[in-house]
Amino acid sequence: MDNIESYLQYLEYEKRYSVHTLTGYGTDLSKFTAFLQENSRTDQDADFRIVRRWIVSLVANGNTPRTVNRKIATLRSYFSFLMKKGLISINPMEKVTSLKCDKNLPTYVVSEKMDALLDEEPDKTCFSEVRDLMVLEFLYMTGVRLSELIHLKESDVDMTGMTIKVLGKRNKERIVPLTALFCKALQEYISLKNATFPGTNLLFILDSGKPLYERWVHRLTTKSLGRVTTMKKRSPHVLRHSFATNILDRGADLNAIKELLGHSNLAATQVYTHNSLRRIKSVYKQAHPRA
C-alpha cells in the first residue's frame, strides 16, 4: 500500500470523511505526485521549494486562489500524516502560506421570493408535483446539505417531537426542529409516497421509486428558483444559504444556526453575518435622515 492510499484510508475510516471529500483529496494528491515525478522527486524528499514551484504552476494555469488554497490544505493534511507516521523527518509545508483571496458572500434568495415559490399549490394527487415542492421546502426549512437530503429515511422523522435526525459530515448526527405546519405537509407527502411506492424507507425518491441523485436535485432547484429569481447561481446550496441568512435576519442566535447547519466551528457560520450587515447598512442609508 502506498502512502496516498494509506492516507485516504485513514481519512475514510478514522476521520470519517465523505466520499466527495476523499475524491477531491485523492485527485489533488495524484496531480501533485505527477508533478513530483516530472521533477524527479517523491513525497519523501519533497521540500518547500518544490511545493512552491507547484503552487506557482497552479496559478500560472489559471487556478483561482480559492482552488489553490484547497490544494494547499490537502498537502498540509497529507504531510502532517506522513510526519506522524515517521515517513518523513521534515514537513515541506511549514513555510507555505495560503494565497490571499476575496471573500465570496453566500448567495441567497430573500424570504419574500421563497414564500412566492413555496406557496404554490401542487396537485395533491400527483406524487411528482408534491414531491418536488416538498424537496424544495425541506431544503429551505431545514438548511440540510444536498448529500444529507438524499440519504434521509422516513424513520428519521419524529412527527410527535416535530424533529428530524440528520446524518452530516463525518457521520455526525444532529437534530433539526420542524414546524407543525411543515410536519402536516410532510405527513401528507409520506402518505402519498407510501401509497404510490409501498415498502421504501427513503424519505425522497424518484418517479421510478429509486433514490434521488445529486444532479436531479440540482436540475429541480435550478428550474424552480428560475421562476422567482434571475440569479445565475440557483443550486441546492443556495437554499441552505437562504435558510441561514433569513433566520439570522429575524434574530436567530448565531450559535443556534451553527448547530442547525451542522458546522464544526463558528467561523464557518459567521460568513452569514456579512449578508445581514450589508442589508442593515442599506436600510440605514435609506432611512436615516442624515445618511
Side-chain angles (χ1 to χ4, degrees):
M1 183 185 300
D2 65 18
N3 291 340
I4 293 179
E5 186 178 353
S6 177
Y7 169 68
L8 293 176
Q9 287 194 1
Y10 160 75
L11 295 183
E12 181 178 4
Y13 297 111
E14 294 191 36
K15 303 294 284 185
R16 305 264 184 190
Y17 279 19
S18 67
V19 174
H20 179 75
T21 301
L22 292 172
T23 301
Y25 275 45
T27 300
D28 290 343
L29 291 173
S30 295
K31 291 180 178 179
F32 178 66
T33 299
F35 181 82
L36 291 177
Q37 291 173 347
E38 290 172 3
N39 289 272
S40 303
R41 298 285 193 94
T42 68
D43 52 15
Q44 292 180 304
D45 61 12
D47 57 18
F48 166 72
R49 292 182 180 82
I50 194 67
V51 172
R52 186 172 60 182
R53 284 172 58 189
W54 185 60
I55 293 172
V56 169
S57 71
L58 291 174
V59 175
N61 286 329
N63 288 275
T64 65
R66 193 172 298 275
T67 298
V68 175
N69 286 344
R70 192 203 72 232
K71 296 177 186 296
I72 290 173
T74 298
L75 291 192
R76 278 206 184 96
S77 177
Y78 176 61
F79 281 110
S80 177
F81 171 80
L82 296 185
M83 286 286 290
K84 288 178 181 177
K85 292 292 184 181
L87 298 173
I88 56 174
S89 56
I90 298 176
N91 190 336
M93 301 303 294
E94 285 183 357
K95 297 180 182 179
V96 177
T97 57
S98 299
L99 305 184
K100 290 183 179 180
C101 57
D102 295 331
K103 288 185 178 180
N104 290 330
L105 296 181
T107 302
Y108 71 100
V109 183
V110 296
S111 57
E112 294 80 9
K113 290 185 177 181
M114 286 306 306
D115 288 343
L117 175 63
L118 299 177
D119 285 346
E120 294 177 359
E121 279 291 329
D123 178 353
K124 292 191 176 183
T125 63
C126 177
F127 171 75
S128 60
E129 283 191 28
V130 175
R131 187 264 332 276
D132 289 358
L133 185 63
M134 187 53 58
V135 166
L136 295 170
E137 189 163 7
F138 198 93
L139 287 167
Y140 179 60
M141 290 291 291
T142 64
V144 296
R145 301 176 178 92
L146 171 54
S147 58
E148 296 167 346
L149 174 89
I150 61 180
H151 292 110
L152 286 173
K153 298 180 177 63
E154 189 178 323
S155 55
D156 292 328
V157 182
D158 178 2
M159 290 296 182
T160 304
M162 293 194 298
T163 61
I164 186 162
K165 181 175 64 178
V166 179
L167 187 63
K169 288 184 175 181
R170 305 180 194 179
N171 288 340
K172 183 180 177 182
E173 286 187 356
R174 68 183 187 276
I175 302 297
V176 178
L178 307 173
T179 66
L181 191 61
F182 183 65
C183 280
K184 182 177 182 294
L186 188 58
Q187 184 62 69
E188 291 174 355
Y189 159 74
I190 290 173
S191 297
L192 180 60
K193 174 182 74 80
N194 290 337
T196 311
F197 300 98
T200 176
N201 188 36
L202 282 173
L203 186 57
F204 296 111
I205 54 177
L206 300 172
D207 293 344
S208 62
K210 294 181 179 179
L212 297 187
Y213 54 93
E214 293 190 359
R215 186 173 294 179
W216 183 93
V217 183
H218 268 281
R219 286 201 300 264
L220 172 65
T221 54
T222 299
K223 179 181 177 181
S224 301
L225 288 176
R227 299 202 297 269
V228 295
T229 178
T230 57
M231 295 188 316
K232 289 183 179 180
K233 191 172 184 180
R234 303 194 296 272
S235 69
H237 218 66
V238 168
L239 294 179
R240 178 171 163 86
H241 293 326
S242 302
F243 160 81
T245 303
N246 290 337
I247 65 172
L248 181 63
D249 281 347
R250 282 160 176 74
D253 177 74
L254 199 62
N255 278 297
I257 296 174
K258 167 184 171 291
E259 296 301 321
L260 290 170
L261 292 175
H263 285 160
S264 57
N265 59 74
L266 194 60
T269 316
Q270 285 175 328
V271 66
Y272 295 107
T273 63
H274 294 287
N275 273 331
S276 293
L277 182 60
R278 185 170 58 177
R279 178 178 290 187
I280 290 169
K281 285 181 176 179
S282 176
V283 171
Y284 176 84
K285 287 179 180 178
Q286 291 176 16
H288 198 286
R290 295 182 63 84

